[in-house]
Amino acid sequence: MKGWHRYAITLVGGLAVGLGAAWAITGGGLSGGAIVNGPWTTSLGFGTKATDPVTRAAVARAGLLALPAKETVYWSAKTDAAGGPLDGNCRYSLSGTPLDARWWSVTIYDEAGYLVANPANSWSVNGANVALDAKGEWRVTIAPTRPAEGAWLPGTKGQPFHLTLRMYNPGKAFRANPAKAVLPQIVKEGC
């Protein structure tokens, strides 16, 4: 084999290994955050110059046009309250009280980071479209079939998913200690 062939093969092999490693490292989406609160994780560095290059690449790959934490905090959940992976075959209760933010939303994504295809064309709920009960709490069902009543985020049978919680203009009390903030509960009700 000629000498330049070996160099070409080594170069192509090195590029393939390097690109593959970069793809694998940045494929975790936003779940590698430094702050953990139940099943939710975040980093207050999203959208700032202080963010490390790997996190910046993961944010870019996730398609998140990140704003700094004083404007928006992005939480990601890939598991339920018991630590089990979120499964589109199952039914979950997503519930909580109004969040310490001017506005918030929860969006459902597939494992690749795309909106979950569903016949209802519904991918998100927010503080303006979920009703509060007599106790001042809200509840959303995440399941492949629409519940008889209440708010619903469609899951897709046979497809794992993750949730992104966006809190716009979070309050000072929240920003003081996000790891202790009251965030929505994700409880598996059955499969």
Side-chain angles (χ1 to χ4, degrees):
M1 182 180 283
K2 294 184 179 182
W4 70 271
H5 286 130
R6 281 185 242 148
Y7 291 119
I9 291 170
T10 302
L11 179 65
V12 170
L15 284 171
V17 169
L19 289 172
W23 191 255
I25 290 170
T26 61
L30 305 178
S31 63
I35 300 172
V36 177
N37 184 326
W40 301 98
T41 63
T42 192
S43 169
L44 298 182
F46 296 152
T48 68
K49 291 179 182 178
T51 304
D52 65 273
V54 172
T55 301
R56 283 186 185 189
V59 167
R61 184 169 168 200
L64 179 67
L65 300 173
L67 297 169
K70 68 179 181 178
E71 294 180 39
T72 308
V73 176
Y74 306 91
W75 295 91
S76 179
K78 292 186 175 187
T79 63
D80 60 26
L86 298 175
D87 181 349
N89 293 315
C90 300
R91 176 185 175 101
Y92 297 89
S93 169
L94 175 70
S95 61
T97 56
L99 298 171
D100 183 16
R102 182 181 52 81
W103 192 82
W104 61 267
S105 69
V106 176
T107 308
I108 187 169
Y109 294 98
D110 65 17
E111 280 190 312
Y114 296 104
L115 294 172
V116 172
N118 64 76
N121 290 328
S122 178
W123 302 276
S124 184
V125 294
N126 62 64
N129 71 6
V130 292
L132 298 178
D133 64 16
K135 297 178 185 176
E137 299 173 350
W138 55 269
R139 183 181 188 280
V140 175
T141 299
I142 303 171
T145 57
R146 183 184 290 275
E149 60 182 37
W152 174 52
L153 272 178
T156 301
K157 287 187 178 185
Q159 188 173 27
F161 65 92
H162 72 271
L163 300 172
T164 297
L165 166 63
R166 293 170 177 87
M167 296 176 64
Y168 294 90
N169 298 117
K172 288 181 183 178
F174 168 82
R175 286 194 319 259
N177 195 354
K180 299 290 184 191
V182 177
L183 296 178
Q185 295 293 309
I186 306 166
V187 177
K188 184 180 197 176
E189 296 180 332
C191 292

